[in-house]
Amino acid sequence: MSTQPTEVIKEFLANTATEKVEAAARRLVAEDATYISLNFDNPELKQILPWTGTSKGPQAFIDTFSRVEKWWTIEDFAVTALFSEGENVAVFGRFTYRSVSLSKAVTSPFSIHAKVRNGKIVYFQFMEDTFATARTFSQKGTWTIKIAPNQPEFEV
């Protein structure tokens, strides 16, 4: 097993399926690792996507990736760039998920900022188009949006 930061992240991302993620997290994630999913702390978003926010340890990685696969069918997940400088790793890509509950699909870019020390992930921040992914669970209702004081409001 490589301890090179990019190789550790590649190995983890290749093993995020429900049947593989626990073993990968136990092997590749430090006990005190920080996992930030989509935001630091947003109680409203956490109602829709319970794994969001900041959490610690391998279990945070296991819970997040296991839930994603239960709530969406993963139709595509592609890394388009992955590089590192020292312990810092940057990953960019795109995915297409389809919600199990409503069969709504979304294609979103994603980015990851990770840190790897001594062959273990110690920090992992995952970002995506959260508005679009959360909307795959939206069944009804609209939002009235007002962006600027001199602009008309509109609904989405």
Side-chain angles (χ1 to χ4, degrees):
M1 181 174 77
S2 176
T3 60
Q4 293 299 312
T6 54
E7 294 304 313
V8 171
I9 297 302
K10 281 183 192 177
E11 185 174 348
F12 180 77
L13 291 175
N15 290 285
T16 58
T18 300
E19 68 277 2
K20 295 179 179 180
V21 72
E22 182 170 2
R26 302 275 179 231
R27 185 174 69 254
L28 299 169
V29 177
E31 286 301 315
D32 61 346
T34 299
Y35 186 96
I36 300 170
S37 183
L38 312 176
N39 62 62
F40 296 113
D41 180 31
N42 181 330
E44 189 174 52
L45 183 60
K46 199 167 194 68
Q47 290 178 27
I48 303 167
L49 306 172
W51 55 83
T52 62
T54 304
S55 51
K56 293 281 190 178
Q59 194 63 49
F61 291 72
I62 296 164
D63 292 346
T64 297
F65 287 92
S66 296
R67 286 177 176 166
V68 165
E69 197 168 307
K70 286 179 187 173
W71 293 15
W72 287 288
T73 300
I74 300 169
E75 296 180 355
D76 184 43
F77 185 92
V79 171
T80 57
L82 186 147
F83 49 91
S84 68
E85 181 176 318
E87 67 181 14
N88 290 288
V89 180
V91 185
F92 299 91
R94 62 184 285 137
F95 62 76
T96 301
Y97 292 171
R98 182 173 301 278
S99 65
V100 172
S101 62
L102 298 174
S103 195
K104 289 184 178 181
V106 62
T107 298
S108 172
F110 74 85
S111 62
I112 299 167
H113 172 214
K115 294 181 184 224
V116 176
R117 290 186 197 122
N118 302 316
K120 298 275 189 171
I121 299 167
V122 297
Y123 180 87
F124 196 95
Q125 182 177 15
F126 187 95
M127 304 301 291
E128 65 187 41
D129 180 350
T130 311
F131 178 77
T133 56
R135 293 283 288 184
T136 66
F137 303 119
S138 175
Q139 192 162 327
K140 59 184 176 181
T142 60
W143 289 0
T144 302
I145 306 293
K146 182 140 179 90
I147 297 173
N150 58 350
Q151 297 279 326
E153 61 186 37
F154 60 93
E155 289 188 352
V156 292

